[in-house]
């Protein structure tokens, strides 16, 4: 039954759908539960929040000039690229940020929308759009304070174009910096992936990503290695950046210039290694 | 539907890897039989981040601690209490007959959100020493801190409640207290919610009002409705004992800074200091004896108490000799091992109207948490008062749960998520289970006159008194 489900969904973009088709609804329910089951296929993504949310939060705490008690990310506008079912958007929304989540898969967006719909706080702070980054550039020029790209970079065919788009949608300000956060995961620990997104996989080593960022108006401040412990299902920071890593980069005001005293920005890029099979 | 079942079973299988130390099974199909509310009905009811059911000392303190937490600054908390608001600005002349022994750790918790200052300004009695001894022998054990710091504080429950009410008022913008409100029904969500059903816990109050919450904390006592409705199994045992409480006036004023407890065959009798002239009685005894004590005249009552503390009728020569021999052996090995025996005060009269009794039992919930539910205080564990631990265990639960909820809030997590709730459960069960079992064993050990057991506990007590590490 599982196999049948995967074979029938071939097209990555499905914009038209009958809302009363019981088969569609059943398939959608199945997918929605997969995303949000903390102990299911996406358990590694859920547990990754334990390190990536504090990481994002602590970096952005420096950015927000007025710390709002109880709402550390209040006033920050974040773009979550490749948001999937909304696993990262929701905690960021709870911390006070205004989040726009984009994903090329309609089913993912519907899952994310449905999951946040019962929560009035999240429903207000998060909006989801079925779109790729390139498609929203036009309407979102210089809109966001932060871009988060988690397990996205490895599936992008034209990485340089992707980075240029990031640069375009980020704000440019005299007094404040804009950040890009990328998370790159090499291990195949994220279970089965939705049809259509992971057709293209390319391992992007941190040096290459850093070079691309630097030559497109960004300044990389940190690269942190990440390690997954499959026994306990938990993530931790580590020295080695050869398997999984998180990267910070700042968009400089002037092209390619950034003073060492600038607050660090974070690009967390997760890269998948094509050669690494299951690391378990 | 099969997917949901698979999802739930998957959790059951993965549970051992979640860091559990206790291997108990959660029923995988329990959630399936819950009713689901429609989106329409759910939409109308106000949504809270945390609802605490039960406004006793533990429930009120839980709500107050969260209300004062910086990461809960923007959160909405509700406290449901069936009774009326309890507060007074100055203490009445007479003491209340319900008191608690507050440990230094609990005092620290209460001062962390400003309640301890109110307690100090109302009324409390610190004590520096605890003397515990056996009715059947001379064995005695004395507890005191090296630097003669306070070992604990005897505080009337009403005083604690008044302090908590004040501190709840201080955060009224975050914590909404519903007095005279009782929850009559709970509707539980499915763990990974399906389309059209509310993911929150639905609460129906007796007056028809409805609330929704991301996390329900059950602090509603040993007959917890939350625990029963959540179908959490409870290991419980009614002791064939009741506790008699009363406020007593001493024969003469004394430096009343010692808590006394003597183990009689029928149960322990304790005298807890309230002031230099008054003490509170907690006498755990058989139900018949307890009823007798309540109905007899005041003079006889006072005589019974004095006799219970002073009489040596239960001593046998055999035990006394054996005990004395052991004591001299100990003093040979450890000359300073036995402390000086102080004599308990004698009682002159009892406050009229202050005599009351309540039944005793023991209980322990097999689980403290479920998806969107947590139990604290007597709802999770009920103990015999002989160790004066009851409310302190509850305050310990609060400190642990608040710590985990605060971290979860700062990480943007869903407050009702089992992930951090399980951490709370593991920590507290690890701490509580051995203590609860020990109290139960002590209770049973001291409920007999049989020589072998008396000897065992006599020597045990004497040895323990002489060996600081064991104490």
């Amino acid at each position: 039954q599982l196999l049948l489900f995967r074979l029938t969904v071939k097209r990555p973009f499905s914009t038209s759908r009958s809302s009363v088709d019981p088969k569609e609804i059943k398939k959608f329910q199945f997918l929605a539960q997969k995303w949000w089951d903390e102990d299911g296929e996406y358990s590694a993504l859920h547990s990754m929040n334990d390190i990536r949310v504090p990481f994002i939060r602590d970096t952005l705490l420096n950015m927000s000039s007025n710390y709002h008690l109880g709402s550390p990310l209040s006033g920050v506008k974040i773009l979550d690229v490749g948001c999937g079912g909304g696993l990262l958007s929701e905690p960021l929304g709870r911390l006070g940020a205004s989040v726009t989540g984009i994903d090329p898969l309609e089913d993912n967006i519907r899952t994310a929308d449905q999951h946040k719909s019962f929560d009035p706080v999240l429903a207000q702070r998060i909006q989801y759009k079925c779109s790729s980054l390139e498609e929203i550039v036009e309407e979102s020029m210089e809109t966001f304070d932060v871009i988060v790209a988690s397990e996205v970079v490895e599936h992008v065919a034209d990485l340089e174009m992707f980075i240029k788009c990031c640069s375009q949608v980020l704000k440019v300000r005299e007094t404040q910096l804009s950040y890009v956060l990328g998370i790159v995961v090499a291990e195949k620990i994220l279970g089965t992936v939705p049809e259509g997104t992971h057709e293209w996989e390319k391992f992007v080593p941190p040096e290459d990503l850093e070079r691309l960022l630097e030559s497109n108006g960004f300044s990389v401040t940190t690269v942190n290695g990440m390690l997954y412990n499959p026994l306990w299902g938990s993530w931790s920071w580590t020295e080695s950046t050869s398997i999984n890593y998180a990267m910070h980069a700042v968009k400089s005001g002037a092209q390619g210039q950034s003073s060492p005293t600038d607050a660090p920005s974070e690009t967390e890029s997760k890269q998948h290694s094509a050669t690494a099979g299951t690391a378990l | 539907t099969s997917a949901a079942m698979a999802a739930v079973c998957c959790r059951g299988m993965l549970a051992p890897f979640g860091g559990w130390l206790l291997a108990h099974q959660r029923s995988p199909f329990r959630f399936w039989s819950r009713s689901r509310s429609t989106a329409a009905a759910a939409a109308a009811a106000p949504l809270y981040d945390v609802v605490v059911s039960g406004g006793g000392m533990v429930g009120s303190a839980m709500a107050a601690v969260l209300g004062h937490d910086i990461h809960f600054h923007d959160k909405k908390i509700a406290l449901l209490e069936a009774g009326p608001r309890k507060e007074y600005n100055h203490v009445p002349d007479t003491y209340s007959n319900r008191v608690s022994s507050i440990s230094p750790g609990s005092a620290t918790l209460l001062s962390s959100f400003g309640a301890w200052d109110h307690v100090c300004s109302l009324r409390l009695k610190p004590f520096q020493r605890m003397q515990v001894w056996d009715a059947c022998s001379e064995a005695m054990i004395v507890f005191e801190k090296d630097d003669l710091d306070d070992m604990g504080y005897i505080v009337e429950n009403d005083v604690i409640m008044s302090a908590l009410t004040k501190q709840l008022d201080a955060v009224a913008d975050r914590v909404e207290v519903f007095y005279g409100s009782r929850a009559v029904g709970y509707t539980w969500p499915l763990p990974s919610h399906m389309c059209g059903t509310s993911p929150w816990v639905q609460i129906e109050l007796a007056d028809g009002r409805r609330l929704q919450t991301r996390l329900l904390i059950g602090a509603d006592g040993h007959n917890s409705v939350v625990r029963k409705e959540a179908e959490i199994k409870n290991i419980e045992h009614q002791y064939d004992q009741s506790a008699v409480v009363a406020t007593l006036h001493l024969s003469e004023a004394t430096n009343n800074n010692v808590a006394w407890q003597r183990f009689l065959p029928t149960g322990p009798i304790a005298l807890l200091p309230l002031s230099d002239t008054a003490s509170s009685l907690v006498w755990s005894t058989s139900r018949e004896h307890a009823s007798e004590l309540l109905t007899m005249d005041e003079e006889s009552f006072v005589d019974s108490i004095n006799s219970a503390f002073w009489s040596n009728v239960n001593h046998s020569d055999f035990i006394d000799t054996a005990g004395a021999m052991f004591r001299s052996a100990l003093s040979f090995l450890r000359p300073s091992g036995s402390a000086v025996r102080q004599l308990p005060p004698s009682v002159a009269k009892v406050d009229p109207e202050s005599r009351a009794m309540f039944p005793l039992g023991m209980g322990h919930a097999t689980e403290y948490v479920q998806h969107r539910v947590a139990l604290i205080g007597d709802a999770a564990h009920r103990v015999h008062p002989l160790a004066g631990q009851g409310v302190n265990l509850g305050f310990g639960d609060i400190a642990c749960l608040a710590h985990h909820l605060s971290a979860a809030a700062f990480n943007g997590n869903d407050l009702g998520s089992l992930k951090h709730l399980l951490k709370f459960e593991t920590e507290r069960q690890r701490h509580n289970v051995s203590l609860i079992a020990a109290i139960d064993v002590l209770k049973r050990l001291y409920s007999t006159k049989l020589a072998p057991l008396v000897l065992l506990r006599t020597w045990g007590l004497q040895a323990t008194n002489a060996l600081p590490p064991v104490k």
Side-chain angles (χ1 to χ4, degrees):
Chain A
Q1 213 173 9
L2 208 74
L3 198 58
L4 203 67
F5 160 70
R6 290 176 71 178
L7 283 176
T8 49
V9 182
K10 255 309 182 179
R11 43 207 169 98
F13 294 93
S14 38
T15 47
S16 67
R17 125 191 351 268
S18 156
S19 57
V20 293
D21 184 354
K23 221 170 64 168
E24 287 287 325
I25 291 184
K26 196 158 187 252
K27 177 193 78 182
F28 166 67
Q29 281 177 3
F30 185 70
L31 177 70
Q33 277 160 34
K34 275 211 300 178
W35 271 110
W36 284 100
D37 182 0
E38 283 183 14
D39 300 315
E41 282 181 38
Y42 294 114
S43 62
L45 264 184
H46 279 277
S47 64
M48 199 194 287
N49 277 347
D50 291 343
I51 64 168
R52 63 180 170 172
V53 174
F55 186 54
I56 299 172
R57 173 198 74 209
D58 292 342
T59 314
L60 299 184
L61 278 179
N62 300 329
M63 160 188 256
S64 191
S65 46
N66 53 332
Y67 179 85
H68 184 95
L69 214 54
S71 208
L73 298 185
S74 158
V76 180
K77 293 191 71 177
I78 304 181
L79 175 67
D80 183 4
V81 181
C83 61
L87 265 59
L88 181 56
S89 299
E90 288 204 2
L92 296 178
R94 282 196 199 96
L95 291 177
S98 297
V99 184
T100 301
I102 61 173
D103 197 276
L105 265 204
E106 172 80 31
D107 277 343
N108 288 345
I109 294 298
R110 280 187 68 196
T111 300
D113 262 329
Q114 193 259 321
H115 194 265
K116 73 156 191 182
S117 64
F118 279 99
D119 191 325
V121 167
L122 294 182
Q124 197 197 18
R125 289 193 190 146
I126 307 175
Q127 47 160 325
Y128 293 110
K129 282 192 189 136
C130 180
S131 162
S132 68
L133 179 59
E134 292 79 4
E135 287 165 358
I136 64 152
V137 162
E138 287 269 329
E139 72 206 41
S140 319
M141 296 291 285
E142 301 194 4
T143 312
F144 298 101
D145 297 303
V146 184
I147 296 181
V148 179
S150 197
E151 304 104 60
V152 168
V153 150
E154 52 272 48
H155 307 293
V156 168
D158 186 348
L159 194 49
E160 180 137 24
M161 169 58 91
F162 182 83
I163 291 173
K164 283 187 159 61
C165 292
C166 285
S167 182
Q168 284 174 304
V169 301
L170 280 176
K171 291 186 195 170
V172 181
R173 288 161 295 190
E174 286 286 315
T175 49
Q176 236 177 329
L177 293 159
S178 299
Y179 301 158
V180 170
L181 289 103
I183 296 176
V184 181
V185 166
E187 303 182 69
K188 279 198 163 58
I189 47 150
L190 302 174
T192 54
V193 291
E195 278 294 313
T197 40
H198 289 202
E199 292 163 355
W200 181 267
E201 268 193 43
K202 197 174 76 154
F203 174 61
V204 184
E207 309 79 47
D208 291 358
L209 186 57
E210 188 167 344
R211 187 180 36 82
L212 274 174
L213 284 167
E214 298 267 348
S215 61
N216 282 285
F218 287 94
S219 166
V220 173
T221 46
T222 342
V223 183
N224 295 330
M226 292 165 56
L227 187 66
Y228 181 64
N229 182 335
L231 188 59
W232 300 113
S234 63
W235 288 87
S236 55
W237 296 114
T238 185
E239 285 286 315
S240 163
T241 58
S242 51
I243 307 175
N244 318 303
Y245 63 92
M247 185 177 281
H248 282 198
V250 186
K251 174 176 174 179
S252 11
Q255 197 70 10
Q257 298 295 328
S258 73
S259 71
T261 56
D262 287 344
S265 62
E266 300 180 0
T267 357
E268 298 178 341
S269 319
K270 288 190 185 160
Q271 296 195 337
H272 292 279
S273 164
T275 56
T278 347
L280 303 178
Chain B
T1 57
S2 56
M5 303 249 262
V8 175
C9 281
C10 193
R11 163 176 285 147
M13 286 185 330
L14 281 178
F17 297 108
W20 276 7
L21 290 191
L22 300 179
H24 53 260
Q25 288 283 319
R26 273 169 220 274
S27 162
F29 303 111
R30 183 177 42 222
F31 292 112
W32 206 234
S33 56
R34 305 276 167 80
S35 54
R36 308 183 223 163
S37 62
T38 63
L47 174 64
Y48 292 86
D49 290 287
V50 178
V51 168
V52 181
S53 183
M57 286 190 285
V58 174
S60 301
M62 181 84 242
V65 167
L66 291 179
H68 282 84
D69 188 295
I70 48 167
H71 300 309
F72 272 72
H73 191 269
D74 287 351
K75 306 261 186 260
K76 279 175 64 173
I77 302 164
L79 174 65
L80 304 176
E81 165 55 25
R85 185 185 157 93
K86 287 189 193 141
E87 188 189 13
Y88 38 61
N89 287 316
H90 51 266
V91 285
D93 293 327
T94 51
Y95 288 92
S96 159
N97 60 5
R98 293 306 304 270
V99 305
S100 294
S101 168
I102 301 295
S103 68
S106 298
T108 305
L109 174 74
L110 291 172
S111 62
S112 73
F113 60 96
W116 192 244
D117 286 338
H118 297 312
V119 170
C120 293
S121 69
L122 286 170
R123 186 157 62 192
L124 84 167
K125 184 76 177 78
F127 63 94
Q128 285 85 38
R129 210 162 181 255
M130 262 174 62
Q131 183 163 309
V132 178
W133 74 111
D134 196 333
C136 297
S137 76
E138 289 293 312
M140 172 197 79
I141 186 166
V142 174
F143 295 93
E144 61 190 348
K145 290 203 168 157
D146 290 327
D147 36 5
L148 287 184
D149 259 352
D150 294 335
M151 273 205 71
Y153 311 90
I154 305 299
V155 189
E156 293 152 89
N157 292 355
D158 285 344
V159 166
I160 298 176
M161 278 310 309
S162 184
L164 293 174
T165 306
K166 266 212 173 63
Q167 285 312 94
L168 283 170
D169 286 344
V171 288
D173 53 338
R174 253 158 277 162
V175 184
E176 208 178 323
V177 187
F178 293 73
Y179 290 108
S181 302
R182 186 190 305 275
V184 294
Y186 297 102
T187 308
W188 312 109
L190 298 166
S192 32
H193 58 279
M194 319 253 276
C195 304
T197 68
S198 167
W200 317 124
V201 177
Q202 311 290 324
I203 305 168
E204 192 182 332
L205 300 182
D207 60 6
R209 278 184 296 183
R210 304 181 122 260
L211 309 173
Q212 302 186 83
T213 182
R214 295 184 172 95
L215 173 66
L216 173 68
I217 299 181
D220 45 349
H222 64 262
N223 282 325
S224 168
V225 174
V226 173
R227 187 188 68 224
K228 288 180 188 156
E229 291 285 303
E231 291 169 23
I232 293 176
K233 279 173 76 116
N234 191 42
I235 302 167
E236 56 188 39
H237 177 78
Q238 303 303 325
Y239 293 131
D240 183 29
Q241 278 190 347
S242 294
V244 173
V245 293
T247 308
L248 307 172
H249 294 276
L250 308 177
S251 307
E252 50 186 42
T254 172
N255 195 7
N256 199 7
N257 59 359
V258 180
W260 307 96
Q261 177 152 287
R262 192 177 198 197
F263 281 100
L264 307 172
T266 47
I269 178 171
L271 218 54
L272 306 171
L274 291 172
S275 73
D276 285 345
T277 54
S279 288
S280 186
L281 173 79
V282 183
W283 190 346
S284 310
T285 183
S286 69
R287 294 215 197 103
E288 303 80 43
H289 188 216
S291 309
E292 274 174 39
L293 287 170
L294 242 52
T295 47
M296 64 174 66
D297 61 279
E298 288 182 11
E299 247 190 69
S300 311
F301 183 67
V302 170
D303 285 341
S304 304
I305 297 171
N306 284 325
S307 156
F309 273 107
W310 291 88
S311 147
N312 284 335
V313 71
N314 284 303
H315 286 208
S316 79
D317 287 334
F318 169 65
I319 299 288
D320 276 351
T321 316
M325 271 170 51
F326 194 69
R327 214 173 29 252
S328 33
L330 270 181
S331 58
F332 180 70
L333 292 167
R334 265 188 73 94
S336 57
S338 304
V340 171
R341 176 194 294 277
Q342 262 186 269
L343 296 170
S346 76
V347 178
K349 66 184 190 69
V350 56
D351 253 354
E353 318 290 321
S354 75
R355 277 189 273 176
M357 71 185 249
F358 54 93
L360 297 178
M362 131 323 163
H364 192 245
T366 50
E367 293 160 354
Y368 287 4
V369 300
Q370 254 185 38
H371 180 59
R372 298 203 186 285
V373 181
L375 300 176
I376 57 174
D378 281 5
H381 40 70
R382 180 190 185 196
V383 295
H384 195 282
L386 68 83
Q389 288 306 305
V391 79
N392 295 311
L393 284 180
F395 286 139
D397 291 343
I398 293 174
C400 181
L401 183 56
H403 164 79
H404 286 293
L405 289 180
S406 184
F410 193 45
N411 284 345
N413 290 341
D414 179 353
L415 288 176
S417 164
L418 261 181
K419 216 147 122 199
H420 51 264
L421 292 180
L422 283 175
K423 289 185 195 159
F424 153 74
E425 180 188 77
T426 307
E427 266 182 57
R428 288 311 288 171
Q429 285 198 335
R430 234 186 271 163
H431 175 273
N432 292 345
V433 166
S434 41
L435 185 60
I436 293 168
I439 293 174
D440 191 58
V441 162
L442 275 179
K443 186 258 171 208
R444 293 170 198 277
L445 181 62
Y446 275 95
S447 297
T448 176
K449 281 197 250 195
L450 292 177
L453 286 167
V454 174
L455 207 56
L456 176 73
R457 73 195 193 209
T458 299
W459 285 347
L461 202 60
Q462 285 176 317
T464 307
N465 193 35
L467 300 170
V470 178
K471 260 206 243 182

